[in-house]
Amino acid sequence: MVKIGATSISNLAVGNKNIDLLNIGNNVVYAGYSYPCVGEYNFNPITLQQYIDLPYVGDPKNYTSNLYFSKYIESFEYRIVLAGADSGFRVCPLNELVLPGVYGGVINNGNYAALIGMCAPRYIINEMNTPTMLTEFKIDGKLYSYNYIRK
């Protein structure tokens, strides 16, 4: 066991990942890619295919998927461009249903977002014949963009 105390540490790595923030004591220890990121229980941004494959939660006929964050987030904005309609970025306050102008909605639960109906990527891919879909998130100001083009 190593006691760090009030010593400042820089250029530290765990395995092949650099530590971006390290708080000892009663605080969270965070190591990995720069926060915030999306993906369940890891610090890597999810790929387009992982986004499309987000599993349904509950009854698949309800078309709800959860997008997990690597830790609790401060702010979340959602945008969808589908079938010629652009919702623009919609601020998603905690625990409120936000309707971005398509059938469906988004609920920011702090450590994950529930994507409902046409906001759930698998619904669009499996149930619609739209040629393209663009969804974007701003998580604590960082942009994540997922652009799907049907082949």
Side-chain angles (χ1 to χ4, degrees), residues 114-144:
L115 308 176
I116 305 162
M118 286 175 54
C119 295
R122 287 178 71 186
Y123 175 85
I124 295 169
I125 304 307
N126 294 338
E127 304 296 326
M128 297 186 66
N129 201 19
T130 185
T132 62
M133 168 191 72
L134 170 69
T135 50
E136 293 183 315
F137 313 111
K138 286 184 185 174
I139 302 173
D140 288 348
K142 185 171 181 178
L143 180 67
Y144 296 87

Side-chain angles (χ1 to χ4, degrees), residues 2 7 14 19 21 23 38 40 91 106 114 125 133 139 145 147:
V2 176
T7 305
V14 175
I19 301 251
L21 175 65
N23 292 321
V38 293
E40 191 173 7
V91 174
V106 177
I125 304 307
M133 168 191 72
I139 302 173
S145 184
N147 190 6

Side-chain angles (χ1 to χ4, degrees), residues 46 49-56 65-67 115 121-122:
I46 62 173
Q49 191 59 50
Q50 289 170 321
Y51 174 65
I52 291 169
D53 292 338
L54 287 175
Y56 291 132
S65 296
N66 288 340
L67 176 68
L115 308 176
R122 287 178 71 186

Side-chain angles (χ1 to χ4, degrees), residues 38-44 68-71 111:
V38 293
E40 191 173 7
Y41 308 117
N42 67 50
F43 296 100
N44 298 310
Y68 289 92
F69 309 129
S70 59
K71 67 187 257 188
N111 59 344

Side-chain angles (χ1 to χ4, degrees), residues 4-78:
I4 296 175
T7 305
S8 177
I9 299 174
S10 61
N11 297 322
L12 180 66
V14 175
N16 63 352
K17 296 193 185 262
N18 288 329
I19 301 251
D20 292 315
L21 175 65
L22 179 64
N23 292 321
I24 305 296
N26 293 327
N27 296 318
V28 173
V29 176
Y30 170 70
Y33 291 90
S34 298
Y35 163 72
C37 298
V38 293
E40 191 173 7
Y41 308 117
N42 67 50
F43 296 100
N44 298 310
I46 62 173
T47 66
L48 172 62
Q49 191 59 50
Q50 289 170 321
Y51 174 65
I52 291 169
D53 292 338
L54 287 175
Y56 291 132
V57 176
D59 181 0
K61 292 181 182 175
N62 289 333
Y63 303 111
T64 299
S65 296
N66 288 340
L67 176 68
Y68 289 92
F69 309 129
S70 59
K71 67 187 257 188
Y72 200 85
I73 64 168
E74 298 294 323
S75 67
F76 180 68
E77 295 179 50
Y78 178 88

